[in-house]
Amino acid sequence: MSLDGKIVGAYLPTEIGMASQRQYYNLMLGPDRHYRDHKGFMLGRVSSEDNFTHYRKPELDESAAPVPEGDFIAVADAPMHYLSIDPSGVLAWKKNEITYFDTTAHVVEILSGKASNAYKDFLRRKRISYIIAGDDKLDLELAVRKIGEIFGMDEIVLGGGGGINWSFVQAGLCDELSIVLTPAADGRKGAQTLFEADERYTAAIPTGFKLKQTRLLDDGSLWLRYAVIGPIE
């Protein structure tokens, strides 16, 4: 996150921004990472579009035969998973894995019942796993429970964007907030921030956090860890 609270912007590809991103990566996914009890990191649909699928349209077969009911696990033993929140099923993946710095992760789509048969057929043809959590809208608690049970995870790293971050905090599903604060800012108006309430899903409720740890990292970034308290008055 930049000094002005942004998680996207022109500061990211700079030398300072890239150094902070590497620090973040090392803490979450590096060989000596701090968070060791997970086998997957989760991002929202917009973040997946921005970083990986780039707003392409999936090649759907609207006449595809009905796929089997329930979840689909294409790769049962992947060492790392990219958990992509995509309730309606719109992301146009070209392959079933992504690469982030030195980590390759198997793509797992987190869908709701709104995802079409044609989209699930598309994922199966790409050998992309998917989990269905909820009917008309995504059930975050069910998604977390299924991920834990199917992939044997005791921990999930949630990496944004701001709407997903806020939704999980408001649902009481986040234990800790971990921020690598980049010593940079670009002042861009309207850029996505760490938390953003979306009136379709969440409200702008005052929420408290308790500082657990601060650490100055080698590149000058500041690592901040907070426990999540919840709504405050």
Side-chain angles (χ1 to χ4, degrees):
M1 183 180 76
S2 66
L3 291 177
D4 52 356
K6 307 303 191 329
I7 58 173
V8 296
Y11 76 94
L12 281 173
T14 66
E15 183 177 350
I16 290 176
M18 290 302 298
S20 286
Q21 289 184 68
R22 173 60 78 168
Q23 294 286 356
Y24 171 85
Y25 169 82
N26 289 339
L27 290 168
M28 305 299 171
L29 294 165
D32 298 317
R33 62 183 183 262
H34 174 81
Y35 299 97
R36 308 196 64 86
D37 296 331
H38 72 90
K39 292 189 291 183
F41 55 109
M42 178 184 289
L43 272 75
R45 181 189 60 79
V46 174
S47 295
S48 290
E49 292 274 32
D50 288 342
N51 293 286
F52 299 110
T53 61
H54 307 297
Y55 297 88
R56 295 184 298 266
K57 300 296 183 183
E59 298 176 359
L60 303 182
D61 178 2
E62 298 295 349
S63 63
V67 304
E69 294 290 328
D71 308 323
F72 172 68
I73 307 303
V75 180
D77 57 352
M80 188 59 66
H81 304 81
Y82 178 82
L83 306 163
S84 179
I85 298 288
D86 186 18
S88 298
V90 299
L91 294 173
W93 300 100
K94 287 189 173 181
K95 55 184 180 178
N96 70 349
E97 63 184 25
I98 61 95
T99 299
Y100 175 48
F101 284 110
D102 304 320
T103 295
T104 297
H106 174 62
V107 175
V108 180
E109 280 270 292
I110 312 300
L111 307 173
S112 74
K114 293 174 66 175
S116 68
N117 181 78
Y119 187 73
K120 287 181 281 188
D121 170 75
F122 164 78
L123 296 179
R124 285 171 173 262
R125 286 188 279 114
K126 294 288 186 181
R127 289 194 51 75
I128 294 172
S129 300
Y130 61 79
I131 292 173
I132 301 172
D135 297 322
D136 294 334
K137 65 178 182 178
L138 196 66
D139 184 330
L140 299 182
E141 185 174 353
L142 177 59
V144 168
R145 186 166 66 249
K146 278 193 168 188
I147 290 166
E149 292 171 353
I150 293 171
F151 300 109
M153 295 189 202
D154 294 323
E155 180 178 78
I156 300 171
V157 170
L158 176 65
I164 289 294
N165 289 345
W166 191 244
S167 292
F168 271 77
V169 167
Q170 293 304 306
L173 295 171
C174 287
D175 302 301
E176 180 175 312
L177 171 64
S178 179
I179 299 170
V180 174
L181 188 62
T182 305
D186 57 34
R188 179 182 171 188
K189 294 181 66 175
Q192 190 173 178
T193 61
L194 181 64
F195 293 125
E196 296 199 347
D198 186 326
E199 61 184 11
R200 294 173 297 175
Y201 313 111
T202 54
I205 299 172
T207 299
F209 301 84
K210 182 178 180 180
L211 185 65
K212 295 172 61 176
Q213 179 189 26
T214 64
R215 182 190 299 177
L216 181 64
L217 303 177
D218 292 341
D219 71 319
S221 299
L222 187 62
W223 181 27
L224 305 172
R225 296 175 60 204
Y226 293 86
V228 181
I229 296 174
I232 56 175
E233 296 182 357

